[in-house]
């Protein structure tokens, strides 16, 4: 996009932000005609002050509007910035698989190397190293797509498809964390199709879980609830000893995700039923495991009880559940899960007016996994709420965190 005129870049980012020309003009204090002329190149943008104002309204780095490389500040190194999002988007927009239909793929990484790279990417995500993950994802996507094409007709076809399905899921999860919900949905949807080719019902079930998460983030709550519950019903564990732990884990996560969707629409009865079903699955599983990268087990069910209570607006129930969570089980979870929970409980404490404890939870999450707090739009909202409701000068640690996150005190 660097070669485009600045007006076209403005139009592109306005479209990405889903703003009409009229809404964009109103926020700038300009006329719709002025915006139209700028985007068509009829009117020049020759004042830096106006360019900076446009960048502010569009919430992009001004260097992107100017067609220059964005200078990455040290404090953003562990987050996914706009340049990296666009690189991931470009990788998702590739359709090399169609080219492979007509001619052989010239190069593909060995599948053994791909297995190692995909496992490393999962662990990077579960340790909430989102900046590191963002920098590896574009190449990983391209390599996985190339492998899927290269091995499409051989004995390794299902293995290659399985790897690509996982990479799409990793990308979907990471993109959702930073608010790129449409892209997250696209990646998750791709994973469903690829997972079916891989012949793995559990991978396809997890892809449905990612689709449900993306739909929920997009505000499409009822479709999110339906996809999670429908696929969970199809994966309900039967009396089959083979892969029972993996099936229980994927089934349980679908129920937990369904519970979060039900909580979003205030359906407490469905929340209770789905959480009970997930709890039963976790007890049958017999502990906390990371089958299929789910981190599913009794502890994760308790974390979701807290999160669902927060979504229902019952901060007191969330805090009460939080205080009863098994400490040993909680500390054994990977950093992303624990920091995510601290963010949920910070929201719960704000609901009951305990701003001091909410601050403590944000700081604890930041200590454990900084990217989970500093990179997520939701965390910015919670911190803004905490600052707004803090009487007098905020405590130094919270003020410092706000400054580092760019949240106004």
């Amino acid at each position: 996009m660097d070669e485009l005129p600045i007006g076209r870049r403005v139009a592109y980012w306005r479209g990405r932000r889903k703003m009409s020309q009229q809404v964009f003009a109103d926020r700038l204090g300009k006329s719709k005609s002025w915006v139209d002329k700028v985007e068509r190149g009829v009117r020049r943008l020759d004042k830096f002050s106006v360019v900076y104002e446009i960048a502010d309204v569009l919430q992009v780095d001004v260097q992107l509007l100017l067609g220059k490389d964005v200078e990455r500040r040290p404090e953003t190194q562990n987050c996914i910035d706009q340049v990296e999002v666009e690189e991931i988007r470009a990788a998702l927009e590739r359709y090399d698989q169609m080219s492979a239909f007509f001619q052989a793929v010239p190069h593909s990484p060995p599948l053994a190397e791909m297995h190692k790279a995909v496992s490393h990417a999962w662990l990077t995500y579960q340790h909430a190293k989102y900046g590191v993950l963002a920098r590896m994802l574009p190449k990983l996507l391209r390599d996985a797509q190339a492998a899927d094409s290269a091995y499409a007709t051989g004995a390794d076809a299902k293995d290659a498809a399985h790897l690509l399905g996982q990479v799409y899921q990793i990308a979907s999860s990471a993109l959702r964390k930073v608010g790129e919900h449409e892209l997250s949905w696209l990646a998750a949807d791709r994973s469903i199709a690829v997972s079916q080719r891989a012949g793995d019902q559990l991978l396809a079930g997890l892809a449905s879980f990612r689709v449900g998460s993306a739909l929920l983030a997009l505000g499409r709550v009822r479709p999110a609830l339906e996809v999670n519950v429908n696929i969970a019903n199809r994966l309900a564990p039967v009396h089959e000893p083979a892969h029972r732990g993996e099936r229980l884990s994927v089934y349980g996560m679908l129920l937990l995700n369904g519970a979060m969707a039900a909580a979003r629409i205030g359906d407490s009865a469905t929340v209770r039923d789905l959480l009970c079903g997930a709890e039963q699955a976790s007890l049958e599983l017999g502990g906390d495991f990371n089958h299929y990268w789910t981190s599913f087990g009794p502890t994760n069910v308790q974390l979701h009880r807290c999160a669902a209570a927060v979504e229902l607006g019952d901060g007191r129930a969330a805090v009460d559940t939080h205080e009863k969570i098994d400490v040993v089980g909680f500390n054994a979870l990977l950093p992303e899960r624990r920091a995510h929970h601290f963010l949920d409980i910070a929201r719960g404490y704000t609901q009951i007016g305990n701003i001091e404890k909410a601050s403590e939870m944000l700081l604890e999450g930041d200590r454990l996994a900084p990217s989970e707090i500093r990179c997520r739009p939701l965390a910015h909202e919670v911190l803004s709420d905490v600052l707004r409701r803090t009487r007098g000068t905020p405590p130094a640690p919270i003020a410092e965190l706000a400054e580092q996150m760019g949240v106004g005190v």
Side-chain angles (χ1 to χ4, degrees):
M1 196 172 66
D2 293 352
E3 69 277 5
L4 293 178
I6 188 170
R8 292 283 300 280
R9 287 194 289 271
V10 169
Y12 170 80
W13 284 106
R14 177 181 60 76
R16 284 284 312 281
R17 298 297 180 246
K18 293 182 169 55
M19 287 186 209
S20 66
Q21 284 189 335
Q22 186 62 63
V23 169
F24 183 45
D26 291 344
R27 294 185 182 181
L28 284 171
K30 303 286 187 180
S31 67
K32 180 182 176 183
S33 173
W34 183 91
V35 170
D36 181 65
K37 289 177 181 177
V38 165
E39 292 184 350
R40 288 190 292 113
V42 175
R43 186 183 187 99
R44 294 182 59 187
L45 288 174
D46 48 12
K47 289 184 179 180
F48 277 110
S49 59
V50 176
V51 176
Y52 275 98
E53 188 177 358
I54 289 173
D56 185 56
V57 170
L58 295 175
Q59 296 180 312
V60 300
D61 194 293
V62 70
Q63 300 298 321
L64 282 178
L65 289 184
L66 296 172
K68 299 178 181 179
D69 291 335
V70 175
E71 181 181 350
R72 293 167 178 169
R73 302 187 301 271
E75 63 267 26
T76 68
Q77 287 300 302
N78 288 323
C79 291
I80 303 177
D81 65 27
Q82 292 161 341
V83 172
E84 290 158 349
V85 167
E86 291 310 304
E87 289 172 352
I88 295 170
R89 179 189 300 279
L92 288 171
E93 288 174 347
R94 290 163 60 93
Y95 284 87
D96 290 352
Q97 292 95 327
M98 281 299 297
S99 299
F101 181 74
F102 299 100
Q103 62 185 38
V105 177
H107 169 73
S108 169
L111 289 185
E113 290 184 12
M114 286 299 304
H115 275 283
K116 292 179 182 178
V118 172
S119 294
H120 178 58
W122 274 120
L123 288 172
T124 303
Y125 172 76
Q126 292 192 319
H127 282 82
K129 303 291 185 183
Y130 302 138
V132 176
L133 180 61
R135 287 185 278 281
M136 70 169 72
L137 264 177
K139 182 178 186 301
L140 187 59
L141 279 162
R142 292 192 295 269
D143 287 348
Q145 289 165 344
D148 183 55
S149 298
Y151 297 101
T153 58
D156 294 318
K158 288 187 175 181
D159 192 18
H162 203 285
L163 289 167
L164 179 57
Q166 291 183 63
V167 175
Y168 279 142
Q169 291 193 37
I170 297 168
S172 175
S173 298
L175 290 162
R176 179 174 50 82
K177 287 281 189 182
V178 296
E180 291 289 339
H181 304 318
E182 292 282 358
L183 268 187
S184 174
W185 185 18
L186 171 63
D189 186 68
R190 291 268 182 88
S191 181
I192 286 182
V194 176
S195 299
Q196 291 180 68
R197 284 199 286 106
D200 187 339
Q201 287 188 346
L202 300 184
L203 186 66
L206 267 186
S208 302
F209 167 86
R210 312 288 172 194
V211 166
S213 297
L215 287 170
L216 187 58
L218 285 164
R220 303 285 296 156
V221 183
R222 291 196 180 278
L225 175 60
E226 289 172 7
V227 72
N228 280 286
V229 173
N230 287 343
I231 302 303
N233 288 337
R234 285 163 174 75
L235 286 178
V238 291
H239 299 294
E240 295 178 0
H243 307 294
R244 187 160 182 79
E246 290 88 343
R247 181 175 287 268
L248 282 166
S249 297
V250 175
Y251 168 74
M253 288 305 297
L254 285 161
L255 293 181
L256 291 178
N257 212 19
M260 295 306 301
R264 186 72 63 87
I265 55 177
D267 186 351
S268 56
T270 299
V271 171
R272 182 174 60 252
D273 290 345
L274 293 175
L275 286 175
C276 285
E279 183 173 41
Q280 183 60 43
S282 74
L283 294 174
E284 190 174 341
L285 183 63
D288 297 298
F289 296 94
N290 200 20
H291 295 310
Y292 273 70
W293 309 99
T294 57
S295 292
F296 181 73
T299 307
N300 205 351
V301 172
Q302 291 299 89
L303 267 55
H304 279 78
R305 283 193 184 280
C306 295
V310 171
E311 287 296 336
L312 288 167
D314 192 349
R316 174 51 60 192
V319 169
D320 288 346
T321 303
H322 163 71
E323 292 174 347
K324 297 173 186 174
I325 289 174
D326 175 59
V327 175
V328 175
F330 180 74
N331 289 336
L333 293 176
L334 288 158
E336 181 273 335
R337 276 280 75 221
R338 286 184 282 158
H340 187 144
H341 174 69
F342 284 129
L343 178 55
D344 286 332
I345 295 304
R347 294 173 65 201
Y349 275 119
T350 62
Q351 288 176 354
I352 62 175
N354 193 334
I355 304 305
E356 182 179 353
K357 289 294 291 184
S359 300
E360 288 180 17
M361 293 298 99
L362 287 173
L363 292 171
E364 191 65 25
D366 182 65
R367 180 196 63 78
L368 180 65
S371 294
E372 181 66 16
I373 303 300
R374 302 185 184 199
C375 303
R376 296 193 60 190
L378 176 60
H380 284 242
E381 293 175 14
V382 176
L383 181 55
S384 294
D385 189 28
V386 165
L387 292 171
R388 186 170 59 251
R389 297 168 64 180
T390 297
R391 295 181 179 179
T393 303
I398 280 291
E400 182 180 350
L401 178 62
E403 182 178 359
Q404 292 168 341
M405 290 173 61
V407 177
V409 179

